[in-house]
Amino acid sequence: MTSVETLSLWAVVVITFVVLVVATLMFLAARYKRCPSDQVLVIFGKVGEGQSSRCIHGGGAFIWPLIQDYRYLGLTPMSIFIDLKNALSLQNIRINVPSTFTVGVSTHASIMNNAAERLLNLTPAQIEEMAREIIFGQLRLTVASLTIEQINQDRESFLESIRKNVEPELNKIGLYLINVNITDITDESSYIESIGKKAASEAVNRARVDVAEQEKIGAIGQSLAQRERLVQVAVNEAEGVKGKSAADAEQRVFVQQQETRAALGESEAVRNREIGVSQNSAEAAKGKKSAEADQRVFVQLREAEAVVGENTSRANIVRSTADLSVQEAESRRLSEVAKHEADVLIQQAQARAERERLVASEIVREEIDRRKVEIEAAAGAEQVRLRAQGDADATRLRYDAEAEGVRKVMQSKADGYRALVEGCNGDARSAAALLMIEKIEVVVEAQVAALKHLKIDKVVVWDGGAGTGTAGGGGSATANFAASLIKSLPPLHEVAAMAGIELPDYLGTPKPAAEPVKTSEGN
């Protein structure tokens, strides 16, 4: 064999080998199948021990010739319209439930195997018809287990019940439920329409009640604010009146104290003057004793004035403390009253809120207007009461101040009398005699005033000219008339005797009473 023939033979062998390799590669490439994202690759034949098929979603797989083959299942969703009519609900009311279900082949491993076993050679129309029958039966079963209210009002629960009943049945044939859409639920007896009207009426009534409630809250708040303002104004006015009354009372007390002090000074000056006159007209021993008594009385009076000043200061402190206690008590009373009134108002508001939920808006508005008038009237009455309380407190303070002034005057007199008795070494009769001596001038002035104001237009005296008196005296009738008029006034000694006091000798002694004239018949 020549070299040319040898080269030709090797060329044929190489070409044949290359052709075989290329053909093998092309055959193998043709048997490798890739799976699109919207399809499921189903490989059937000899795929494994105990398996009828193998499903692949995404990627690819080699299909062995002769022992394996393949098909594709589409994942495109199918929209199935279910027009369910006259379905019997749990209340035995027939309703119409038109709905649309969206289903598709599942990509879950077990469910894909079910689809490969039951849907691989079916057309989309056949798959849709099979799914419709399953959905129709399960939907009717779901409606029969629910009431109209559950179906119509709680759509989420209704859809969840449909999903629980329908989806397991679809999974058995390799499908899964993507979406459920209930368009409109109706019934032949208009029960659902009546429920809607009832719900609408309840919503309208609730809205009206809410509006009335808010208006009531606003009116109550406004009334409470007005009442608070009126009460505060009345309290401030009452405090002003009380302050003014207290100032007036303090002024009157101060004036009474000054007048009392002036009266004590005047009486002291008059007493000193009268004691001086008595001392000048009395004997030396009496004058010395009287001077000593005057000294003691003077010292006691100074001490009495000091005690009066201390008592006045203490009284002022006590009065200030009492006023402070009264103000604190009044503040606590007002606070407690306001707190109780607030509690009452809160309870009344709660009761009104519970009652007014059952009435219509017009009745609520009239009730609010009426209560506005009542609250304003209560505020006016509270204001009048506070003003009357302020006037009463002012009157009480004025009478207390006047009584305190009178008490201090009487206390000062009592202290003066006590000092006078102590100055007389405890001899009450001597002290009474001194007081009577002080009042002699007043008694004489009263007697003179009695004669002074005696109005006598004309006195006619018939005198017989005999020059004898009516009782055998030596004076004329006119002189006897004047003497009788003077004697008609009560003598000083008799006035003192009426008081149980015996005047000293230097004021004279009374004449003994004339003995009765004995007649001859008496002998």
Side-chain angles (χ1 to χ4, degrees):
M1 184 175 291
T2 61
S3 59
V4 175
E5 291 177 349
T6 303
L7 291 172
S8 300
L9 180 60
W10 280 105
V12 171
V13 172
V14 170
I15 292 171
T16 302
F17 179 75
V18 170
V19 170
L20 289 175
V21 170
V22 171
T24 301
L25 292 175
M26 292 179 63
F27 177 77
L28 293 176
R31 298 302 297 179
Y32 187 82
K33 300 300 179 181
R34 294 174 298 277
C35 180
S37 61
D38 62 340
Q39 291 181 344
V40 174
L41 176 62
V42 180
I43 302 173
F44 55 90
K46 190 174 181 61
V47 294
E49 187 68 25
Q51 293 183 358
S52 62
S53 62
R54 181 164 62 95
C55 299
I56 299 174
H57 177 230
F62 182 77
I63 308 299
W64 292 101
L66 300 178
I67 62 173
Q68 290 182 346
D69 203 351
Y70 70 94
R71 288 267 197 315
Y72 287 102
L73 278 176
L75 297 178
T76 303
M78 294 176 291
S79 181
I80 302 173
F81 177 73
I82 305 296
D83 189 12
L84 181 62
K85 294 184 178 180
N86 296 326
L88 195 63
S89 66
L90 184 62
Q91 299 166 313
N92 294 326
I93 298 176
R94 296 189 177 276
I95 61 174
N96 302 322
V97 187
S99 57
T100 302
F101 289 77
T102 302
V103 299
V105 177
S106 176
T107 57
H108 193 272
S110 61
I111 301 177
M112 282 193 301
N113 290 329
N114 293 337
E117 293 176 357
R118 294 176 175 86
L119 304 177
L120 184 60
N121 293 319
L122 296 179
T123 63
Q126 291 174 338
I127 296 174
E128 182 177 340
E129 184 63 25
M130 184 183 299
R132 178 180 287 106
E133 293 298 330
I134 294 174
I135 294 171
F136 193 87
Q138 295 301 320
L139 180 60
R140 185 180 292 275
L141 179 63
T142 303
V143 171
S145 64
L146 299 174
T147 63
I148 299 297
E149 287 77 9
Q150 293 174 336
I151 295 173
N152 188 55
Q153 296 177 3
D154 194 357
R155 290 294 180 91
E156 291 295 330
S157 299
F158 179 48
L159 294 178
E160 186 65 24
S161 299
I162 293 175
R163 185 177 296 276
K164 289 181 179 179
N165 292 329
V166 173
E167 191 165 18
E169 299 300 323
L170 291 177
N171 291 339
K172 292 178 181 179
I173 62 173
L175 300 177
Y176 80 102
L177 184 61
I178 299 175
N179 185 34
V180 179
N181 185 18
I182 306 297
T183 57
D184 191 15
I185 300 176
T186 59
D187 66 311
E188 296 179 356
S189 61
S190 301
Y191 181 75
I192 297 177
E193 183 179 359
S194 300
I195 294 176
K197 291 180 180 179
K198 177 183 177 182
S201 300
E202 290 178 353
V204 171
N205 291 333
R206 282 196 300 270
R208 290 178 178 176
V209 171
D210 292 339
V211 171
E213 185 71 19
Q214 294 301 321
E215 291 179 355
K216 181 197 72 175
I217 293 173
I220 291 174
Q222 183 179 2
S223 300
L224 289 176
Q226 293 177 356
R227 176 184 172 278
E228 184 68 21
R229 178 176 60 83
L230 292 175
V231 170
Q232 192 63 34
V233 170
V235 169
N236 292 334
E237 290 180 356
E239 290 295 331
V241 173
K242 288 170 64 178
K244 183 179 179 182
S245 300
D248 293 340
E250 290 179 357
Q251 181 180 1
R252 292 177 182 175
V253 169
F254 181 76
V255 171
Q256 290 292 335
Q257 290 176 353
Q258 296 302 321
E259 290 179 354
T260 301
R261 186 172 296 175
L264 289 174
E266 291 177 358
S267 62
E268 183 181 356
V270 172
R271 184 183 59 77
N272 291 332
R273 180 172 58 83
E274 292 177 353
I275 288 175
V277 172
S278 300
Q279 288 174 350
N280 292 330
S281 61
E283 298 177 356
K286 296 287 186 180
K288 181 179 180 181
K289 194 171 183 180
S290 179
E292 293 176 356
D294 182 62
Q295 180 181 1
R296 293 178 181 177
V297 170
F298 182 78
V299 172
Q300 292 295 331
L301 286 176
R302 296 284 80 79
E303 293 178 355
E305 289 182 358
V307 172
V308 169
E310 293 177 358
N311 292 335
T312 302
S313 300
R314 292 177 182 174
N316 291 331
I317 294 173
V318 172
R319 184 171 61 255
S320 299
T321 305
D323 292 339
L324 180 60
S325 300
V326 170
Q327 293 176 0
E328 291 178 352
E330 184 67 17
S331 300
R332 288 196 298 270
R333 184 184 65 79
L334 292 176
S335 176
E336 291 296 328
V337 170
K339 180 179 179 181
H340 289 302
E341 289 180 352
D343 293 338
V344 171
L345 289 175
I346 290 172
Q347 294 177 359
Q348 291 178 353
Q350 292 176 351
R352 288 196 300 269
E354 185 65 23
R355 186 174 64 255
E356 288 171 356
R357 288 191 185 97
L358 305 177
V359 299
S361 60
E362 294 297 329
I363 298 176
V364 172
R365 188 177 297 107
E366 292 178 0
E367 185 72 14
I368 291 173
D369 294 337
R370 184 178 65 81
R371 289 174 183 170
K372 284 182 181 179
V373 175
E374 290 179 355
I375 292 173
E376 291 176 357
E382 182 68 16
Q383 183 178 5
V384 172
R385 189 186 66 78
L386 290 175
R387 288 179 178 175
Q389 184 68 28
D391 295 339
D393 292 340
T395 304
R396 181 176 57 79
L397 290 174
R398 184 175 69 252
Y399 285 135
D400 289 344
E402 292 177 356
E404 184 68 18
V406 173
R407 188 184 66 79
K408 289 183 177 180
V409 171
M410 298 301 292
Q411 184 67 30
S412 299
K413 288 183 178 180
D415 294 338
Y417 292 152
R418 189 180 301 108
L420 183 59
V421 173
E422 291 177 356
C424 294
N425 295 325
D427 189 358
R429 294 182 61 84
S430 299
L434 290 176
L435 291 176
M436 181 58 71
I437 291 170
E438 291 179 359
K439 299 299 181 181
I440 287 176
E441 185 178 355
V442 179
V443 174
V444 173
E445 289 179 356
Q447 291 177 345
V448 173
L451 292 176
K452 179 180 178 182
H453 296 288
L454 186 61
K455 295 181 180 181
I456 301 175
D457 187 16
K458 181 173 62 173
V459 177
V460 179
V461 180
W462 297 92
D463 193 351
T468 61
T470 58
S476 64
T478 302
N480 291 333
F481 170 75
S484 299
L485 185 60
I486 295 299
K487 291 180 179 179
S488 63
L489 298 175
L492 292 177
H493 289 278
E494 294 181 3
V495 174
M498 292 178 184
I501 298 172
E502 184 178 354
L503 295 179
D505 296 337
Y506 58 79
L507 294 179
T509 57
K511 294 175 66 177
E515 295 182 358
V517 179
K518 296 182 181 180
T519 60
S520 58
E521 295 177 358
N523 296 331

